[in-house]
């Protein structure tokens, strides 16, 4: 009875934020659709595509960590499973690239279920440590794979691609379709994937299931006492987040026509975490804001070359210490304070 | 029989190194619930410190050792003052995760700073001991003997510090119950500072010993840190004697697997074992009920 009342009031209260989200989303989408027709430089469009990949992973990580409270460090590994799955299915089994991308996303989900079954019985930092270790083991096994699986000309290729990874397994077919403008075609495909990712995470956050895992994050004993099964709920979120992360991974592999073990590197994971932390963990638009800020900062720091990673590391530490809510969290807090002051007067 | 000794030597040496790394991590976790992801970078810092003092400045080795420990301790203290203390002030909620993310950032920054200063090429470290002890058919290089002996000595000193001194009592009291310790007049902030200082000094020493068997590179601490993490987890985070036992035990198992199935399977098998143990006992082998900062 009380549960029904509280969800009903929650829905009524949410209607204003829903409108805001919708307006922001529509505005961003319009901008994103116009962008490739206005921007002339291929490099910039390429960077936009890259930004959508990073933002897509960060959104999913944020769903997992910021909303559901599962501190997983295997996000890049799931992304890699999607990408590797796409590459390996199209090379070994001759899958069509679209089918391979979809299957890659499913593979990532299956992998995440296995990881989740092993890790999610534990809590907090234990989950972080185990997922981190598992991601590292997968990376290590790929890097040290030297056994010949097939020959291409005179070079010996490993089953897992080894240290070199895979390349030339097919693309979106935009080169035949649009010729010189193929980047715009790729941009469109990745944009569709990114919008799907955003929509899915928005729907989940605002569904009853979203309420359930936010309740688990905020007050676990109470949520469990109300009949929410922690293990099942978290496993479900883990799987959903893995599906879309894997999807982004497949799109990434098809866009670059290459996937290699460097995707596992700690600095990539760090970049994703930085995006979420700078933008605001547990806020819906945080990862998008974070991506914009970090991509621009990265572009500026490119001139400083070697100090880039150093700067990124310090930036993360600074944001965690000084602005724990991230940019979006800070803005929301400021607005709330102003609102309170206005009402007080 | 030769293989048996080779495995034994390798397991003992790695076990000693892992135990030192694990001890430093476990100390910080046990007392303040902080997982220090920068620990690996601090190992590298120690290794490079002994290179600077002994090779570049030409000071004796023991001075290099002291410098490494001092540099580690100083970095640990700095980490506490600049990162951990402000985070603790925000309140306990989310501390465990935010400190982890922040220290990942610090770790990347420190590794990169080492890379920029010393360059990327692997360096040879001056800490070396020649000769070997033979015992029957088994041969143990003096270097490995030294590593094991130094590690055990450092662990013994740590044990005495924790169990016998005033500082150790304060550390244990804070770990058991922060509020109660605070009310009893234990200077909790200073205790935390000491804990991270000690943990840093351990990392420095461990880095010196570690780089003696491998080579100096900014990422040299990454692999041992990862293994130290899972050893901490197996033992139950924050349990110091358990951490040491787990370190030696797992290092032995790793050595056996590596000799029998090849080097690349050592870590995966270890991880599977750890996951199995955790499903059986979610708080680790020797874990008591987890301490939670509220």
């Amino acid at each position: 009875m009380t549960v029904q009342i509280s969800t009903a009031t929650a829905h009524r209260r949410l209607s204003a934020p829903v409108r805001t989200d919708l307006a922001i989303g529509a505005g961003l989408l319009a901008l994103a659709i116009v962008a490739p027709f206005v921007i002339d430089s291929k490099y910039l469009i390429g960077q936009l595509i890259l930004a959508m990949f990073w933002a897509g992973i960060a959104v999913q990580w944020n769903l997992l960590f910021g909303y559901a409270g599962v501190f997983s460090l295997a996000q890049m590994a799931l992304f890699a499973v999607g990408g590797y799955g796409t590459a390996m299915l199209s090379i070994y089994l001759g899958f069509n690239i679209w089918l391979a991308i979809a299957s890659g996303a499913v593979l990532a989900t299956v992998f995440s279920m296995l990881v989740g079954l092993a890790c999610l019985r534990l809590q907090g930092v234990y989950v972080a440590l185990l997922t981190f270790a598992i991601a590292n083991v997968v990376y290590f096994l790929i890097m040290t794979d030297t056994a010949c699986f097939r020959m291409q000309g005179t070079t010996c290729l490993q089953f897992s691609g080894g240290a070199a990874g895979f390349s030339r397994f097919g693309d979106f077919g935009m080169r035949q379709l649009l010729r010189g403008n193929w980047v715009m075609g790729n941009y469109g495909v990745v944009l569709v994937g990114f919008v799907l990712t955003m929509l899915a995470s928005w729907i989940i956050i605002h569904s009853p299931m979203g309420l359930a895992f936010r309740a688990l994050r905020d007050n676990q004993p109470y949520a469990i006492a109300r009949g929410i099964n922690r293990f099942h709920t978290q496993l479900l979120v883990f799987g959903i987040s893995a599906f879309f992360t894997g999807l982004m991974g497949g799109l990434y592999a098809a866009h670059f026509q290459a996937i290699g073990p460097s995707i596992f590197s700690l600095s990539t994971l760090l970049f994703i975490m930085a995006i979420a932390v700078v933008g605001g963990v547990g806020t819906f638009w945080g990862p998008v804001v974070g991506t914009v800020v970090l991509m621009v900062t990265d572009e500026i720091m490119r001139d400083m070359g070697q100090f880039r990673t150093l700067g990124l590391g310090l930036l993360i530490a600074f944001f965690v210490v000084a602005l724990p809510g991230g940019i979006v969290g800070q803005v929301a807090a400021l607005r709330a304070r102003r609102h309170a002051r206005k009402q007080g007067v | 029989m030769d293989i048996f000794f080779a495995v034994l030597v390798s397991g003992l040496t790695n076990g000693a190194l892992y135990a030192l790394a694990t001890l430093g991590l476990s100390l910080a976790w046990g007392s303040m619930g902080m997982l220090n992801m920068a620990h690996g970078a601090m190992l590298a810092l120690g290794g490079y410190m002994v290179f600077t003092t002994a090779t570049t400045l030409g000071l004796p080795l023991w001075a290099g050792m002291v410098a490494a420990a001092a540099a580690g301790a100083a970095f640990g203290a700095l980490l506490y003052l600049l990162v951990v203390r402000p985070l603790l002030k925000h309140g306990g909620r989310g501390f465990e995760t935010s400190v982890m993310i922040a220290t990942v950032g610090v770790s990347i920054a420190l590794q990169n700073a080492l890379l920029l200063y010393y360059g990327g090429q692997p360096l040879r470290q001056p800490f070396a001991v020649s000769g070997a002890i033979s015992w029957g058919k088994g041969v143990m290089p003096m270097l490995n003997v030294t590593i094991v002996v130094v590690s055990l000595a450092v662990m013994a000193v740590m044990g005495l510090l924790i169990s016998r001194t005033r500082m150790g009592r304060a550390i244990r009291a804070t770990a058991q119950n922060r509020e109660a310790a605070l009310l009893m007049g234990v200077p909790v902030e200073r205790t935390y500072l000491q804990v991270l200082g000690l943990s840093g000094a351990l990392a420095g020493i461990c880095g010196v010993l570690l780089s003696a068997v491998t080579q100096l590179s900014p990422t040299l601490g990454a692999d041992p840190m990862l293994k130290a993490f899972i050893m901490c987890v197996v033992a139950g985070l924050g349990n110091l004697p358990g951490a040491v036992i787990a370190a030696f035990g797992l290092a032995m198992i790793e050595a056996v697997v590596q000799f029998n199935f090849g080097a690349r399977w050592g870590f995966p098998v270890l991880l599977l074992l750890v996951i199995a143990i955790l499903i059986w006992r979610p708080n680790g082998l020797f874990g008591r009920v987890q301490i939670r900062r509220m």
Side-chain angles (χ1 to χ4, degrees):
Chain A
M1 192 60 188
T2 26
V3 176
Q4 277 172 348
I5 290 167
S6 65
T7 47
T9 48
H11 274 301
R12 214 176 308 142
R13 217 176 334 109
L14 277 175
S15 60
V18 165
R19 247 180 289 137
T20 323
D21 280 352
L22 225 63
I24 296 175
L28 280 179
L29 187 61
L31 266 182
I33 291 173
V34 172
F37 296 103
V38 183
I39 297 169
D40 213 20
S41 122
K42 254 191 184 144
Y43 172 75
L44 260 184
I45 296 186
Q47 289 302 96
L48 279 179
I49 295 177
L50 199 59
M52 286 195 282
F53 284 126
W54 297 149
I57 312 171
V59 164
Q60 294 306 322
W61 189 69
N62 185 38
L63 176 69
L64 198 58
F65 173 55
Y67 285 97
V70 179
F71 191 23
S72 158
L73 294 178
Q75 205 64 15
M76 286 321 293
L78 295 173
F79 184 76
V81 169
Y84 268 92
T86 304
M88 289 164 89
L89 286 174
S90 43
I91 289 181
Y92 296 136
L93 301 179
F95 274 30
N96 165 293
I97 192 80
W98 303 103
L99 183 62
I101 291 173
S103 318
V106 173
L107 273 183
T109 317
V110 173
F111 179 70
S112 80
M113 286 293 124
L114 292 177
V115 174
L117 281 175
C119 298
L120 287 181
R121 284 181 193 285
L122 308 167
Q123 304 212 20
V125 285
Y126 280 90
V127 176
L129 289 182
L130 270 192
T131 47
F132 187 55
I134 289 173
N136 266 281
V137 162
V138 175
Y139 168 74
F140 184 70
L141 283 180
I142 291 177
M143 284 298 279
T144 52
D145 187 8
T146 50
C148 272
F149 183 70
R150 66 196 174 106
M151 297 295 286
Q152 193 176 65
T154 52
T155 46
C156 146
L157 295 174
Q158 297 87 18
F159 177 69
S160 64
F166 293 105
S167 58
R168 282 174 307 198
F169 40 80
D171 59 5
F172 298 128
M174 292 298 167
R175 270 173 228 268
Q176 292 86 17
L177 208 66
L178 299 172
R179 298 191 186 280
N181 280 334
W182 63 272
V183 177
M184 281 169 74
N186 278 12
Y187 179 88
V189 172
V190 177
L191 181 61
V192 169
F194 177 62
V195 170
L196 270 180
T197 302
M198 293 291 286
L199 264 181
S201 88
W202 194 89
I203 290 171
I204 292 162
I205 289 164
H206 292 90
S207 70
M209 183 172 65
L211 281 179
F213 58 65
R214 270 186 288 164
L216 277 172
R217 177 198 63 185
D218 291 338
N219 191 340
Q220 207 175 92
Y222 184 59
I224 293 171
R226 297 310 293 253
I228 297 172
N229 186 323
R230 183 188 76 88
F231 181 58
H232 288 173
T233 314
Q234 293 195 336
L235 196 64
L236 193 62
V237 187
F238 203 50
I240 294 171
S241 153
F243 180 83
F244 287 99
T245 308
L247 184 71
M248 290 315 267
L251 291 175
Y252 177 94
H255 168 64
F256 286 102
Q257 297 179 54
I259 184 96
S262 67
I263 204 73
F264 283 97
S265 76
L266 186 60
S267 54
T268 326
L269 179 69
L270 181 73
F271 194 69
I272 300 299
M273 284 164 65
I275 286 172
V277 167
V278 168
V281 169
T283 61
F284 184 71
W285 295 106
V288 180
V289 174
T291 309
V292 174
V293 171
L294 278 186
M295 289 293 278
V296 172
T297 317
D298 202 34
E299 209 59 36
I300 296 169
M301 284 203 290
R302 190 151 296 199
D303 300 332
M304 296 194 272
Q306 47 185 354
F307 292 100
R308 210 167 132 211
T309 322
L310 183 70
L312 196 64
L314 291 179
L315 191 74
I316 284 201
F318 169 78
F319 260 91
V320 174
V321 172
L323 283 180
I327 294 173
V328 173
Q330 199 65 28
V331 170
L334 281 179
R335 276 179 57 184
R337 212 178 300 156
R338 219 171 47 196
H339 189 69
R341 209 183 301 145
K342 230 185 270 170
Q343 286 199 326
V345 173
Chain B
M1 244 359 224
D2 291 347
I3 291 175
F4 173 76
F5 272 105
V7 170
L8 192 70
V9 168
S10 156
L12 267 182
T13 317
N14 284 337
L17 290 172
Y18 294 156
L20 271 190
T22 313
L23 210 56
L25 279 174
S26 214
L27 201 60
W29 170 263
S31 61
M32 59 183 110
M34 164 194 181
L35 258 178
N36 185 6
M37 297 291 279
H39 205 76
M42 284 156 79
L43 296 186
L45 177 70
Y48 277 105
M49 251 8 249
V50 81
F51 178 81
T52 298
T53 42
T55 307
T56 315
L57 299 177
L59 294 174
L61 261 181
W62 62 264
M65 205 68 166
V66 172
F75 192 83
L78 215 60
L79 189 66
Y80 173 72
L81 293 175
L82 294 181
V83 176
V84 181
R85 195 171 59 167
L87 280 179
L88 278 169
K89 284 236 166 85
H90 287 320
R93 193 179 170 275
F95 172 76
E96 282 174 14
T97 43
S98 53
V99 80
M100 216 166 150
I101 297 175
T103 49
V104 169
V106 170
S107 157
I108 292 276
L110 178 57
Q111 276 181 18
N112 216 251
L114 289 174
L115 183 73
L116 290 176
Y117 188 75
Y118 290 98
Q121 77 283 15
L123 297 170
R124 250 188 67 77
Q125 214 246 58
F127 188 89
V129 187
S130 54
I133 298 179
S134 46
W135 179 54
K137 271 188 174 172
V139 179
M140 189 162 178
M142 270 315 270
L143 179 64
N144 297 50
V145 176
T146 316
I147 287 174
V148 174
V149 169
V150 172
S151 305
L152 288 178
V154 171
M155 280 183 255
V157 171
M158 276 300 298
L160 284 178
L161 271 181
I162 297 284
S163 62
R164 292 292 155 82
T165 62
R166 225 181 132 72
M167 179 179 78
R169 208 166 348 141
I171 291 176
R172 277 181 294 140
T174 323
Q176 278 168 14
N177 190 330
R178 179 168 173 269
E179 277 69 33
L182 204 58
L183 290 174
M184 292 297 135
V186 176
V188 168
E189 289 208 352
R190 200 176 74 201
T191 308
Y192 283 166
L193 183 71
Q194 288 165 340
V195 164
L196 270 187
L198 271 180
S199 164
L202 279 175
I205 296 171
C206 180
V208 173
L209 298 178
L210 179 72
S211 52
V213 277
T214 58
Q215 267 177 325
L216 273 177
S217 73
T219 52
L220 87 108
D223 181 60
M225 182 180 73
L226 196 63
K227 286 175 186 159
F229 272 145
I230 67 169
M231 283 155 191
C232 276
V233 171
V234 161
L237 282 166
N239 184 323
L240 297 184
V244 173
I245 297 172
F248 276 104
L250 287 183
M252 278 298 171
I253 294 172
E254 189 193 17
V256 170
V257 172
Q258 281 183 338
F259 270 88
N260 287 321
F261 303 101
R264 63 190 289 248
W265 295 109
F267 191 37
V269 169
L270 218 56
L271 190 65
L272 278 181
L273 193 73
V274 167
I275 289 173
I277 290 176
L278 284 177
I279 288 173
W280 173 47
R281 290 188 68 122
N283 278 321
L285 274 183
F286 316 102
R288 17 177 193 149
V289 180
Q290 209 178 323
I291 322 154
R292 291 212 145 260
R293 283 183 41 84
M294 288 305 224

